[in-house]
Amino acid sequence: MSLIWYIYFNDVVSGPFSTESVEAGLDQKKWSNQALIWWKGQRDWVSIDVWRKDLSTILESLRNNIQTVAWYAEYLGTQKGPMNSKELQNFVQTNGIIGSCRVWHVGMDRWMSIFEIPELVTYFGITRRKHPRAPFKGDLLLKKASDINDTLIAHAGSISAGGMGVRGLETVRTGEDVNLQLKSPLLEQGIQTNAVVVYKDLGGYTGLEFRDLPKEFESIIVDYVNQFNA
């Protein structure tokens, strides 16, 4: 299975690499065991040691997992399912509802657009989202609009010009407004903007959607994300 990989090491992102190139780089000790790796469809960076040890399992999982899930689709108040991934793909494409239906399977805490689920986007072979997203490393300081005296700390796992995926925000609620300050060695400068909490999942991941992101900050983020468009 041919995949493209990216490496995060010493505060620098490099890639894209083939599987063979990553394995050769490890053999040549180009990266230490502190390096992290990411591939399309993966939410967060993964330890490169774990990647190497579990590579065959990762590849097999990417081949098979999406095909074994029992999916449900909801459109205009009507639900259909359970369906396997091929049946789901046929259903939404035959009815022309890729962008307007929502899908769900056991374990998800809410119905989602297909474009919010990387595994389905890859399986369907469609453009992922309005704002391409990329893996990220950075720290955030946040203040709730409802309590500006309460400072929260979180860690970014992904970023796009439209928002961020973060970990460590247990006390915020969906729909809540926040002000955030983001610092990362991967960006030219720190970013400060407003955002709203758009989702929280069972894995402890929180989705933030930017509100009125200044153009200069949007440009910085877009330049970073474009590295992953290979």
Side-chain angles (χ1 to χ4, degrees), residues 38-43 62 118-119 122 128:
W38 176 87
W39 58 98
K40 289 185 177 180
Q42 182 67 16
R43 173 169 279 180
L62 290 170
E119 297 88 350
T122 300
R128 181 174 180 182

Side-chain angles (χ1 to χ4, degrees), residues 39-173:
W39 58 98
K40 289 185 177 180
Q42 182 67 16
R43 173 169 279 180
D44 289 326
W45 296 96
V46 173
S47 163
I48 204 163
D49 278 355
V50 171
W51 176 88
R52 189 171 211 182
K53 178 171 64 73
D54 296 340
L55 180 58
S56 61
T57 302
I58 291 170
L59 295 176
E60 188 65 21
S61 175
L62 290 170
R63 290 188 188 100
N64 297 331
N65 275 1
I66 197 67
Q67 300 177 15
T68 61
V69 173
W71 294 96
Y72 294 81
E74 186 275 334
Y75 178 65
L76 296 179
T78 300
Q79 294 181 13
K80 181 177 176 61
M83 299 174 280
N84 62 33
S85 56
K86 187 61 179 178
E87 291 169 335
L88 174 64
Q89 182 182 30
N90 288 338
F91 172 69
V92 299
Q93 291 182 339
T94 298
N95 290 281
I97 56 174
I98 286 179
S100 53
C101 76
R102 300 183 303 162
V103 296
W104 177 87
H105 66 73
V106 173
M108 291 173 60
D109 65 342
R110 68 183 180 93
W111 292 82
M112 291 186 178
S113 158
I114 289 171
F115 294 95
E116 294 181 88
I117 304 173
E119 297 88 350
L120 281 183
V121 169
T122 300
Y123 184 79
F124 282 21
I126 56 179
T127 301
R128 181 174 180 182
R129 56 179 76 213
K130 178 181 178 182
H131 299 291
R133 188 172 293 268
F136 195 68
K137 294 286 285 185
D139 297 322
L140 293 93
L141 293 178
L142 299 99
K143 292 182 182 294
K144 299 181 183 180
S146 59
D147 185 2
I148 61 173
N149 294 317
D150 184 15
T151 299
L152 307 174
I153 299 175
H155 307 287
S158 63
I159 193 168
S160 77
M164 304 186 68
V166 305
R167 294 194 180 279
L169 286 181
E170 290 83 3
T171 62
V172 299
R173 303 185 307 275

Side-chain angles (χ1 to χ4, degrees), residues 13-49:
V13 173
S14 55
F17 298 106
S18 66
T19 303
E20 294 75 16
S21 295
V22 175
E23 293 180 315
L26 287 170
D27 290 338
Q28 298 162 9
K29 301 189 184 305
K30 185 175 181 180
W31 306 291
S32 76
N33 59 7
Q34 301 301 312
L36 303 174
I37 191 166
W38 176 87
W39 58 98
K40 289 185 177 180
Q42 182 67 16
R43 173 169 279 180
D44 289 326
W45 296 96
V46 173
S47 163
I48 204 163
D49 278 355

Side-chain angles (χ1 to χ4, degrees), residues 181-200:
Q181 297 181 44
L182 169 66
K183 292 184 178 181
S184 170
L186 296 175
L187 300 180
E188 298 174 9
Q189 66 183 82
I191 287 175
Q192 182 170 345
T193 190
N194 296 315
V196 62
V197 179
V198 291
Y199 71 83
K200 299 188 71 177

